Amino acid sequence: GIFKPKYSSQTELVFMQDTLSSSLLNLVDFKVENNPAEAYASPGKKQAKIMDFYLKTKDSDLNIGAIKLKANGVVEGEIQNAYIYLNDQLISTARIDGEYLNFSDFNYLLTANNEVRLTFKVDLSDSVKIGTRIRLDLENTDDLILKLNEENFSLQSDFPIRGKYLSISRSRF
């Protein structure tokens, strides 16, 4: 079954249709999501939310070792920092290497029959142009280091797994 996060308001459920789902041999549910109504940021914005990864385990423990994402739509320097939050707590800051964001400094254990939301946020430079659309992608299986019950494990999916867009617009305030 596909795991759906619980939302309090009815309106947000509409956005659930625009999700990417991949079943990891039916051992783990994995989805990339965002709320399109919030997928905007202005140049220079700090901590702009770009997307969430949802993972839900079945009967096995899952260890998330590292994540590598390719930034699309921006030139080098326009993403100044990138972060992963776990249930609103900062757990990793990226090492930025050209167009790649490397989150290698965390090692998270998701126990059996549990779910987690990893939220990706970026700091944008003032030089990002209005109209830019930024997307973070998982290019191949090696970009998400997973272990299931201590065994190396990879997503069974078509790669690249495309992230959700963050559109750069004028400040609304």
Side-chain angles (χ1 to χ4, degrees):
I2 304 251
F3 146 70
K4 287 190 167 41
K6 298 164 209 62
Y7 280 121
S8 54
S9 87
Q10 210 54 40
T11 54
E12 287 174 305
L13 292 174
V14 178
F15 304 125
M16 298 301 298
Q17 296 158 349
D18 183 32
T19 60
L20 168 76
S21 299
S22 169
S23 182
L24 316 187
L25 301 172
N26 289 323
L27 299 170
V28 178
D29 283 336
F30 172 78
K31 289 198 297 192
V32 180
E33 295 188 344
N34 75 351
N35 179 339
E38 296 171 358
Y40 294 91
S42 53
K45 173 106 170 102
K46 303 303 178 221
Q47 303 273 331
K49 180 179 168 179
I50 191 162
M51 65 179 173
D52 290 323
F53 280 2
Y54 285 100
L55 291 129
K56 183 178 182 182
T57 51
K58 307 251 170 104
D59 304 328
S60 308
D61 289 352
L62 180 72
N63 188 280
I64 306 166
I67 300 174
K68 178 180 172 185
L69 298 169
K70 181 181 180 187
N72 289 285
V74 285
V75 297
E76 200 168 327
E78 289 182 337
I79 293 179
Q80 295 178 323
N81 292 298
Y83 312 95
I84 298 177
Y85 285 82
L86 172 71
N87 304 332
D88 302 322
Q89 181 180 351
L90 178 66
I91 60 165
S92 184
T93 300
R95 189 184 81 251
I96 299 177
D97 183 13
E99 58 193 349
Y100 292 95
L101 311 177
N102 293 291
F103 297 96
S104 55
D105 59 347
F106 75 97
N107 198 11
Y108 179 73
L109 179 67
L110 181 58
T111 53
N113 300 303
N114 255 307
E115 58 194 59
V116 70
R117 181 186 82 228
L118 299 176
T119 299
F120 294 82
K121 296 183 179 184
V122 292
D123 290 348
L124 301 170
S125 75
D126 292 329
S127 62
V128 181
K129 292 179 177 51
I130 304 287
T132 298
R133 296 178 78 214
I134 303 169
R135 194 183 71 217
L136 304 180
D137 296 345
L138 279 168
E139 279 195 306
N140 58 57
T141 54
D142 301 337
D143 292 345
L144 185 59
I145 307 298
L146 301 172
K147 286 190 176 196
L148 201 67
N149 293 336
E150 302 301 311
E151 298 286 318
N152 285 335
F153 184 72
S154 60
L155 285 174
Q156 305 301 306
S157 182
D158 293 330
F159 283 88
I161 294 178
R162 289 185 162 71
K164 299 296 183 180
Y165 282 105
L166 177 67
S167 297
I168 308 305
S169 61
R170 286 188 179 79
S171 176
R172 298 174 176 194
F173 308 108

